[in-house]
Amino acid sequence: MALSSLKKLVTESMAIDLGTANTLIAVKGRDVVLDEPSLVAINELTDEVVAYGTEAADMQGREGRDIVVKAPLTGGVVADFERTKEMLTHFVKKSKTGGSQVSRQAVLSMLSDVTHVEQRALLNAAEEAHIGKVYMMEEGLAAAFGAGVQPGDKRASAIVDIGAGTTNVAVITKGSISHSRAERIGSNDINEALITHLRRHRGLQIGAETAESIKWKYMSATAPEDPEFEIQARGRDVQTGSPHAVALTLGEIYPIVEGIVSRIAQVVQDTLTELRPEVAADIYDRGILLTGGGALLEGIDQYLRNFINLSVIIPEEPNYATVRGLVKMFDEPELLERVSRNELSILQNAEVPFEA
Ligand SMILES: Nc1ncnc2c1ncn2[C@@H]1O[C@H](COP(=O)(O)OP(=O)(O)OP(=O)(O)O)[C@@H](O)[C@H]1O
Ligand SMILES: [Mg+2]
């Protein structure tokens, strides 16, 4: 067998969506193989990472004395290069199928408006994770393909990805982004607003896990049918420091969600007013596709529909749209070459042998 065909056999193609809250990895032919929080637990005495992903998340808020749990990415970009690199290396290793991979290739998503410095950091992290050939693609485009937009479609589609730290609006025509906008506001801002509200108005300090669970279970983008319905939030009394609980009504928490969701909706509306008439006409007919974990907030589609007066469609598993769009690229190598946005073409051609 010729070396080149042998190489093809052992090359693993990975799609990586390195998000503020979650890292998702899909492998060609095997769909999503990794879905873990983008977190690391660090021993502060030794400065070493002691746990990654789900394991680190389980420690969050209940860390031992010398352990601290950190998110190496903020607002969709690398904030801590070393930790991002270590985390990525760990996740890539964990996702490999086994056997000897001579080389790999990966496609990573990135925000449309990343600076060169931010893109460089992401590329370097990927390079040092021994991935091999690295392609980068704009998140909006990947999310669109993952949500079912056809690369050859002449008519425009609009996609809104609401992540943890970012909201990305992109308009796609014929497999390219014709218009896009990314803002540093996302679903985690709801958690932050809830935590702040409880601390300032109710004297209760709650942890990240509690805030997240209240959001998933009780928060909705539409006004509650029973505003008097009571839930309990548990944490630490701000004054005394002792364990404490307060009763909250859905009527009290609704304005917190609405405050954030309305800002997200405004970003979407503002972006849609910047379109050319023909593109606007397509979007008028088709409405928008909503992806990202933020699309899982109850009632968000209805809220947006009322706000922008267009139909809003959420595909199945909207939080996987980006990574599924990325992995599809391996079936269309020409498209991948065309859409990948690597200023560093040297990297693309430099195949790094995989080091186990
Ligand atoms: N069932 C749910 N109900 C409400 N919110 C949810 C649900 N599931 C996930 N989320 C929220 O979705 C967000 C994570 O979405 P996603 O995984 O798309 O973000 P990310 O890609 O890591 O972030 P970014 O794209 O901003 O870098 C979190 O804020 C999380 O709280
Ligand atoms: Mg994302």
Side-chain angles (χ1 to χ4, degrees):
M1 199 182 285
L3 186 64
S4 61
S5 50
L6 197 75
K7 245 187 164 180
K8 258 188 207 130
L9 276 181
V10 290
T11 296
E12 190 163 20
S13 304
M14 274 188 186
I16 305 171
D17 175 9
L18 195 57
T20 311
N22 299 298
T23 298
L24 307 171
I25 298 185
V27 171
K28 190 181 170 200
R30 286 196 302 141
D31 198 33
V32 181
V33 295
L34 182 126
D35 173 359
E36 297 204 29
S38 303
L39 292 173
V40 291
I42 299 158
N43 181 330
E44 286 195 303
L45 294 179
T46 62
D47 205 34
E48 270 169 19
V49 178
V50 293
Y52 296 93
T54 309
E55 210 188 315
D58 289 341
M59 295 179 174
Q60 199 175 29
R62 299 189 185 88
E63 296 102 320
R65 233 186 329 180
D66 309 320
I67 307 287
V68 53
V69 177
K70 281 188 179 165
L73 295 119
T74 41
V77 295
V78 176
D80 180 337
F81 176 75
E82 275 307 309
R83 303 309 181 194
T84 301
K85 186 188 78 187
E86 288 176 276
M87 186 176 77
L88 189 59
T89 307
H90 172 84
F91 287 149
V92 164
K93 264 197 184 143
K94 201 172 170 181
S95 307
K96 75 174 203 176
T97 29
S100 60
Q101 281 97 35
V102 174
S103 75
R104 306 153 174 264
Q105 56 176 353
V107 53
L108 261 82
S109 56
M110 57 182 232
L111 282 174
S112 308
D113 70 341
V114 289
T115 64
H116 277 293
V117 175
E118 290 163 340
Q119 189 186 0
R120 209 342 139 196
L122 197 56
L123 264 173
N124 284 350
E127 190 184 20
E128 292 192 25
H130 300 297
I131 284 167
K133 198 167 173 180
V134 178
Y135 297 89
M136 302 196 86
M137 183 176 164
E138 284 173 82
E139 182 184 88
L141 200 53
F145 293 153
V149 172
Q150 294 303 319
D153 193 348
K154 272 188 251 144
R155 296 182 65 206
S157 303
I159 186 116
V160 177
D161 185 277
I162 306 173
T166 58
T167 293
N168 189 13
V169 186
V171 175
I172 317 296
T173 325
K174 276 201 269 175
S176 299
I177 293 188
S178 57
H179 196 81
S180 81
R181 182 156 161 178
E183 294 286 336
R184 266 70 186 172
I185 181 168
S187 190
N188 270 10
D189 290 281
I190 299 172
N191 306 33
E192 290 304 321
L194 174 68
I195 291 169
T196 306
H197 172 85
L198 287 175
R199 193 186 63 240
R200 294 190 52 208
H201 298 280
R202 307 299 299 275
L204 183 79
Q205 206 178 348
I206 60 165
E209 197 184 278
T210 303
E212 184 79 353
S213 114
I214 292 177
K215 181 171 76 176
W216 286 37
K217 277 197 214 136
Y218 302 109
M219 291 183 130
S220 167
T222 54
E225 276 171 28
D226 179 7
E228 299 306 319
F229 184 88
E230 255 182 19
I231 61 167
Q232 202 187 44
R234 289 181 286 268
R236 179 176 182 268
D237 187 291
V238 172
Q239 296 269 326
T240 67
S242 50
H244 190 55
V246 301
L248 286 176
T249 62
L250 296 186
E252 179 179 349
I253 59 176
Y254 180 65
I256 300 172
V257 189
E258 213 270 335
I260 305 297
V261 171
S262 62
R263 282 169 57 198
I264 292 175
Q266 195 63 53
V267 170
V268 178
Q269 192 175 49
D270 291 349
T271 311
L272 296 182
T273 57
E274 296 158 0
L275 305 178
R276 282 187 318 237
E278 288 308 336
V279 174
D282 288 343
I283 306 304
Y284 180 83
D285 286 343
R286 296 179 150 186
I288 63 168
L289 285 158
L290 193 58
T291 62
L296 293 167
L297 179 78
E298 200 193 278
I300 185 107
D301 47 346
Q302 199 183 323
Y303 188 95
L304 266 178
R305 205 172 286 137
N306 293 339
F307 199 98
I308 58 178
N309 244 317
L310 292 173
S311 71
V312 176
I313 298 153
I314 302 180
E316 239 175 81
E317 299 185 298
N319 48 327
Y320 286 171
T322 300
V323 77
R324 289 203 170 122
L326 291 173
V327 84
K328 269 187 192 172
M329 289 302 103
F330 295 121
D331 297 327
E332 313 214 25
E334 274 168 28
L335 185 63
L336 177 59
E337 285 291 344
R338 179 163 71 78
V339 301
S340 68
R341 249 192 51 182
N342 302 33
E343 20 107 59
L344 315 148
S345 52
I346 338 123
L347 243 186
Q348 279 198 25
N349 300 325
E351 279 200 20
V352 185
F354 175 65
E355 290 166 22

